[in-house]
Amino acid sequence: MKKFLLTAIAALFVAGAVSAQERGRWALGPQVGIYTNTGADGAVFGFGAVSRYAISDHWRVQPALTFLCKKDCSVDISGDMQYLFRVARFWSLYPQAGLSFNDLGDWSLGVDLGVGTDFIITKRWDISAGFKWMIQTRNNSKNPMIVNIGATYKF
């Protein structure tokens, strides 16, 4: 299991490093979140990294790796697809759907459904906020709701 986690972490950061070759199509940055409805642990704080790849002007893929701060070390690996609605020149809204793999209770695969928003701060920096519901496939697993904020640097 440790080898799998290290491989996933390395893949996320390699994707971010390689992405610098295509200017304007990749973004990478930190993200923090609060996982609610997680069971006996109550709300769980998480921090990690997010990478974004713009497939077109409206579609993008967002892989993310989040370390969860609960009594035991925990991790959430997710990949979401987002469709951007440009509300203004500096502001976008998006629905998202994807998959996640985590060990909030025991290892479980989940389906992510949510919404979010991005604000362009400078030519290279965005601030984002989102809400996502993680539907777990493992029996007796809670389905957490996640509120997260982050910033991304665009390459």
Side-chain angles (χ1 to χ4, degrees):
M1 187 55 65
K2 288 181 183 178
K3 288 181 182 179
F4 172 76
L5 290 176
L6 290 175
T7 302
I9 292 167
L12 180 66
F13 289 109
V14 166
V18 171
S19 68
Q21 305 306 313
E22 291 193 21
R23 186 175 176 92
R25 308 237 352 134
W26 280 90
L28 181 68
Q31 179 172 280
V32 297
I34 302 292
Y35 287 62
T36 63
N37 190 36
T38 59
D41 292 328
V44 175
F45 175 77
F47 67 95
V50 63
S51 179
R52 293 178 170 166
Y53 178 71
I55 296 170
S56 70
D57 288 342
H58 294 285
W59 288 99
R60 72 179 175 202
V61 177
Q62 176 177 291
L65 178 66
T66 306
F67 297 98
L68 305 172
C69 303
K70 58 181 206 168
K71 62 185 176 188
D72 297 324
C73 183
S74 185
V75 68
D76 177 25
I77 302 166
S78 65
D80 296 327
M81 181 68 95
Q82 301 169 340
Y83 184 83
L84 300 171
F85 293 97
R86 306 269 183 222
V87 178
R89 185 181 56 79
F90 60 90
W91 180 34
S92 298
L93 296 172
Y94 57 86
Q96 65 183 358
L99 297 174
S100 62
F101 185 66
N102 65 60
D103 67 337
L104 283 169
D106 199 1
W107 287 101
S108 177
L109 181 67
V111 175
D112 301 337
L113 298 173
V115 296
T117 185
D118 288 340
F119 294 96
I120 298 172
I121 302 303
T122 68
K123 181 180 176 183
R124 299 271 187 205
W125 284 97
D126 289 350
I127 299 176
S128 60
F131 172 81
K132 159 164 85 166
W133 181 39
M134 191 181 297
I135 305 164
Q136 300 293 303
T137 57
R138 183 174 167 79
N139 289 340
N140 301 323
S141 289
K142 298 288 185 179
N143 296 325
M145 291 173 273
I146 305 156
V147 177
N148 51 37
I149 59 171
T152 53
Y153 179 80
K154 295 179 273 190
F155 293 96

